[in-house]
Amino acid sequence: MKCVYGRKESFQWKKYIPAVVLIFLHCYMFGQRMNIQMELAGEIQPLCVGDYIADFYRGVFPFLGRTEGEPFNIPPVWSLYLIYFFAIIAYRYSRTYRQSEYQYVIRRITRNRWWLYQSMMLVLESVVYVLVSALAFIIYGIASGAKLTGISRQIQMEWNGLDFWGISGFGLWKETIFMTALVLLAIGTLQYVVSMSGNALLGMFVSVAVLVSSVFWMHPLLPGNYLMLLRNEARMPGGVQVNTGIMLCVIISVVCFFAGRYILKRKDLF
């Protein structure tokens, strides 16, 4: 399959299997942890699909300002989930920007139309990746007997440190699923543009660096902060705002779109 303008691209569902496996693994570990804590507390409460999603996107407090001696851990499953998306983008770039594809651009279409197609594919990749992830949460929730709607606010407050009082199910999905799609699109587009200037490995390194920096430091200009519920201003003094994250991701995506078009115009395709 060649990812070029004017050619149909088949849906490769198998590439999403690792992401689904990571989500299932996280949901299983979360369910086991909740069962143990409920048994110790002597109270059994039903879980919701929203509980699995909230725990997955819980995040960690910033490294700066933490108490001395307290370990700082980057959530492993969450990190692998995001890094795997960066790997998908790197693979897409390596398959698209080949000498044979350059020749197709030269002979059949304009560079602007080709870059527009690549940008559309980045949007589609981000949206599908997140939708498949949301479906994975729902499937696991159904299989585990969890409620499809709502969120266990008491459980999240007592055992996860997440204050969801006053937030609706729509608000939770906006802070998690919707924001994930925007953040992945912003970082993915940035990765694509950096790869055009250098190579696929350099682009992926930049994406991972942005992710790691976001975990260690809380700053509104680091998009990874908007993927962690603990960093929201409603749960952390001086935290980030969802609307600011939306604006940031849109600006990054738009700037990278025009930067990529400029780079492609100046790029030697021979």
Side-chain angles (χ1 to χ4, degrees), residues 100-116:
S100 59
E101 310 302 346
Y102 288 154
Q103 294 300 321
Y104 185 81
V105 175
I106 295 171
R107 296 175 183 178
R108 297 289 185 87
I109 61 177
T110 65
R111 300 190 187 201
N112 284 342
R113 290 175 62 192
W114 192 57
W115 174 240
L116 178 62

Side-chain angles (χ1 to χ4, degrees), residues 4-21:
V4 294
Y5 185 92
R7 303 184 187 183
K8 292 184 178 180
E9 188 171 342
S10 60
F11 179 70
Q12 294 183 339
W13 60 269
K14 293 182 179 179
K15 65 182 176 182
Y16 300 109
I17 292 179
V20 174
V21 171

Side-chain angles (χ1 to χ4, degrees), residues 14-34:
K14 293 182 179 179
K15 65 182 176 182
Y16 300 109
I17 292 179
V20 174
V21 171
L22 288 172
I23 290 175
F24 282 177
L25 175 62
H26 171 268
C27 291
Y28 173 78
M29 293 188 300
F30 172 69
Q32 293 297 311
R33 188 172 75 251
M34 287 297 100

Side-chain angles (χ1 to χ4, degrees), residues 50-224:
D51 293 319
Y52 293 110
I53 296 176
D55 186 73
F56 186 76
Y57 290 102
R58 178 180 183 272
V60 293
F61 289 107
F63 177 74
L64 297 179
R66 294 171 63 88
T67 58
E68 185 176 355
E70 185 179 356
F72 181 80
N73 299 317
I74 299 178
V77 178
W78 176 81
S79 301
L80 290 174
Y81 168 82
L82 297 175
I83 292 175
Y84 181 69
F85 175 81
F86 303 151
I88 291 178
I89 298 301
Y91 178 73
R92 170 176 286 278
Y93 173 84
S94 64
R95 283 184 58 85
T96 301
Y97 287 83
R98 296 177 297 182
Q99 192 67 26
S100 59
E101 310 302 346
Y102 288 154
Q103 294 300 321
Y104 185 81
V105 175
I106 295 171
R107 296 175 183 178
R108 297 289 185 87
I109 61 177
T110 65
R111 300 190 187 201
N112 284 342
R113 290 175 62 192
W114 192 57
W115 174 240
L116 178 62
Y117 176 78
Q118 301 306 322
S119 300
M120 292 171 56
M121 288 299 101
L122 285 174
V123 173
L124 183 62
E125 193 71 69
S126 304
V127 172
V128 172
Y129 192 79
V130 173
L131 289 180
V132 169
S133 303
L135 183 61
F137 282 113
I138 295 174
I139 291 176
Y140 190 92
I142 294 175
S144 63
K147 295 192 298 183
L148 293 180
T149 59
I151 184 172
S152 305
R153 292 175 174 82
Q154 183 178 353
I155 291 177
Q156 295 297 331
M157 174 65 80
E158 292 181 357
W159 293 318
N160 248 351
L162 293 173
D163 184 3
F164 285 130
W165 298 105
I167 188 174
S168 63
F170 173 78
L172 175 64
W173 283 72
K174 179 183 178 181
E175 286 191 43
T176 54
I177 304 300
F178 177 71
M179 281 305 304
T180 300
L182 287 182
V183 172
L184 290 184
L185 175 60
I187 300 179
T189 308
L190 175 63
Q191 175 180 337
Y192 217 72
V193 171
V194 173
S195 299
M196 292 172 61
S197 302
N199 52 58
L201 183 60
L202 177 61
M204 186 168 179
F205 174 79
V206 170
S207 294
V208 174
V210 170
L211 174 62
V212 174
S213 299
S214 300
V215 174
F216 274 82
W217 296 286
M218 187 179 69
H219 194 283
L221 295 181
L222 292 174

Side-chain angles (χ1 to χ4, degrees), residues 34-44 159:
M34 287 297 100
N35 289 335
I36 294 175
Q37 290 179 344
M38 288 180 189
E39 290 179 1
L40 293 175
E43 57 176 319
I44 304 298
W159 293 318

